[in-house]
Amino acid sequence: ICFIPADNPNYRRKGIMELEIAIAKENTGITYLTSGKRKLELGQNKQLHLGEIADEKTMNLCYNACNVMAFPSLAENFSNTLVEATVTGCPVVCFNAGGNNEIINTNESGVVLEINNYTEMIKYLINYSTSDEQRRKLSKTNTENTYSIEKIIEKFISLYKK
């Protein structure tokens, strides 16, 4: 299952429309859990659309229910959505936009791709959705390497030394 949070899928800088078109062109064999103002047009692919999600508990359930999250944003600052996904252990496939590469570490918490490379994005979404071993490895590695208390303390000490 691939989660696509799309609060406003018509907002171009979020990259949802382009991902929607790319997914619709092929039968990926995975199920998409989507959220937002409208159901996405994903061709023959299975989709469960939840509508708009306003509470943290439901978002947390979405991250935990999915094998991977697609985040095709073309312009970002420091995305809370990415942080939330990685904390729950949900691997993320995103583009190298804004602060995305500060949150997602390739081969640790997902993969950061060249902007607008929707073909590669779909390839990784399929891989993470179908490979339990790969997904478990990413989830465990990310949680241990990024969000353990030891790592957080190291980062604070490093920051104070600057």
Side-chain angles (χ1 to χ4, degrees), residues 15-138:
I16 296 294
M17 289 186 295
E18 291 81 0
L19 179 61
E20 182 178 22
I21 291 165
I23 291 172
K25 287 181 181 176
E26 61 181 281
N27 185 359
T28 62
I30 58 179
T31 300
Y32 295 89
L33 179 64
T34 61
S35 66
K37 295 181 179 182
R38 69 170 174 83
K39 184 176 180 178
L40 302 181
E41 299 296 327
L42 301 179
Q44 299 297 314
N45 295 288
K46 294 178 189 172
Q47 176 181 190
L48 174 61
H49 183 68
L50 302 176
E52 293 184 83
I53 300 173
D55 65 288
E56 291 176 23
K57 185 176 181 180
T58 304
M59 283 302 289
N60 190 33
L61 289 170
C62 291
Y63 295 130
N64 282 291
C66 293
N67 305 336
V68 63
M69 184 180 86
F71 195 77
S73 184
L74 305 173
E76 262 324 304
N77 288 317
F78 192 83
S79 171
N80 287 338
T81 304
L82 294 182
V83 174
E84 292 165 359
T86 57
V87 168
T88 63
C90 181
V92 175
V93 180
C94 65
F95 293 134
N96 191 8
N100 292 355
N101 64 357
E102 293 177 32
I103 302 166
I104 304 302
N105 299 309
T106 296
N107 297 322
E108 288 184 14
S109 51
V111 65
V112 179
L113 302 169
E114 182 182 319
I115 289 180
N116 288 321
N117 194 340
Y118 293 96
T119 303
E120 278 295 297
M121 180 172 272
I122 291 172
K123 182 179 106 179
Y124 278 99
L125 294 176
I126 293 169
N127 181 40
Y128 293 152
S129 290
T130 57
S131 173
D132 289 337
E133 181 181 333
Q134 177 73 12
R135 189 176 55 259
R136 274 193 297 272
K137 177 184 165 204
L138 285 174

Side-chain angles (χ1 to χ4, degrees), residues 3-18:
F3 182 39
I4 306 175
D7 291 335
N8 189 351
N10 298 327
Y11 194 39
R12 285 204 75 77
R13 77 175 182 86
K14 292 298 182 180
I16 296 294
M17 289 186 295
E18 291 81 0

